[in-house]
Amino acid sequence: DQQVKQNSPSLSVQEGRISILNCDYTNSMFDYFLWYKKYPAEGPTFLISISSIKDKNEDGRFTVFLNKSAKHLSLHIVPSQPGDSAVYFCAASWGYGNKLVFGAGTILRVKS
Amino acid sequence: EPEVTQTPSHQVTQMGQEVILRCVPISNHLYFYWYRQILGQKVEFLVSFYNNEISEKSEIFDDQFSVERPDGSNFTLKIRSTKLEDSAMYFCASYLEGGDEQYFGPGTRLTVT
């Protein structure tokens, strides 16, 4: 099941710079997309979401961009901080409250 | 901040044994889920539960699995006869209708030997 793909297993960024995490999806029925962050031995923690009727959503240092024609979304973190180092999961669903389909995750390392 | 809790944090069991994983969802949430993550693999959906019944289940959720909300606070996942391949992190999640996200618990690591 490759409906949601995160093709970069890891990303290393210098503190203060921008982190860009990418996600692609194949199922055009998805209409809601989320980003979760996960630390070791913890459950996923919600970061930010976007509905398919929007192309951008911003929350503090975090911005998610959605390109429906390319079936692509990205998470921008500006500025990156060492505490942002974690695994970032992209997830998609058909509507709110329905099952989430996850990508494989991207390990982000922010170096100080 | 309210949170989803799960017990135990780690469960070791022998193949063929029954296990029950427990979750306490956030109190005013009405939608509940179980997901699992096998080491090195994606987080996978198992089952969703609403209004005291299963609303959706995945192919993984076969007859060996069951869920129950035995009282007003707990939500359990039972595996009747565990297999080696059931070894994984099991995450419970809950959702408030009208909200943005599913809230995840810290997970239970199930090790089947």
Side-chain angles (χ1 to χ4, degrees):
Chain A
D1 181 358
Q2 293 290 319
Q3 295 190 79
V4 178
K5 302 179 198 177
Q6 293 177 256
N7 291 320
S8 297
S10 65
L11 175 67
S12 188
V13 170
Q14 198 68 32
E15 181 180 8
R17 306 295 291 267
I18 184 171
S19 296
I20 300 177
L21 297 103
N22 293 302
C23 177
D24 296 292
Y25 61 96
T26 55
N27 193 327
S28 58
M29 297 297 290
F30 288 138
D31 60 2
Y32 188 56
F33 305 90
L34 308 90
W35 284 94
Y36 280 85
K37 178 167 86 170
K38 187 181 180 303
Y39 295 115
E42 295 184 13
T45 301
F46 172 76
L47 272 177
I48 192 167
S49 62
I50 187 165
S51 162
S52 61
I53 63 173
K54 296 185 176 182
D55 54 19
K56 178 182 173 181
N57 189 26
E58 198 170 349
D59 184 1
R61 297 187 296 117
F62 302 93
T63 304
V64 55
F65 296 92
L66 176 62
N67 182 333
K68 287 190 293 293
S69 60
K71 295 191 177 68
H72 176 84
L73 63 154
S74 61
L75 174 68
H76 292 210
I77 306 173
V78 181
S80 301
Q81 298 172 354
D84 295 330
S85 297
V87 180
Y88 287 78
F89 291 101
C90 171
S93 74
W94 299 264
Y96 296 86
N98 290 322
K99 72 176 185 186
L100 298 176
V101 180
F102 281 86
T106 297
I107 300 170
L108 173 65
R109 296 188 185 88
V110 180
K111 299 175 290 187
S112 55
Chain B
E1 184 172 327
E3 58 183 15
V4 177
T5 59
Q6 291 185 243
T7 55
S9 56
H10 190 192
Q11 173 89 48
V12 181
T13 189
Q14 288 190 328
M15 197 167 49
Q17 295 297 305
E18 174 183 287
V19 294
I20 298 176
L21 310 184
R22 301 180 192 280
C23 167
V24 180
I26 295 172
S27 61
N28 58 341
H29 289 193
L30 298 178
Y31 295 80
F32 314 118
Y33 314 82
W34 285 99
Y35 294 83
R36 78 174 186 189
Q37 186 180 28
I38 295 171
L39 188 63
Q41 297 186 22
K42 293 183 178 184
V43 177
E44 305 172 286
F45 168 77
L46 292 177
V47 66
S48 58
F49 191 87
Y50 171 72
N51 201 23
N52 283 323
E53 62 182 26
I54 291 172
S55 45
E56 187 174 0
K57 59 184 180 180
S58 72
E59 292 175 354
I60 303 166
F61 194 89
D62 62 21
D63 293 346
Q64 293 302 308
F65 291 85
S66 62
V67 289
E68 193 177 32
R69 186 153 166 83
D71 53 43
S73 59
N74 290 284
F75 179 53
T76 62
L77 174 70
K78 182 193 291 186
I79 309 175
R80 288 190 183 78
S81 178
T82 50
K83 306 184 187 79
L84 293 175
E85 54 265 36
D86 293 328
S87 295
M89 280 292 288
Y90 286 79
F91 295 106
C92 173
S94 69
Y95 171 74
L96 176 65
E97 189 164 12
D100 287 338
E101 76 269 28
Q102 294 177 23
Y103 290 77
F104 283 78
T108 292
R109 178 170 297 283
L110 177 65
T111 302
V112 183
T113 61

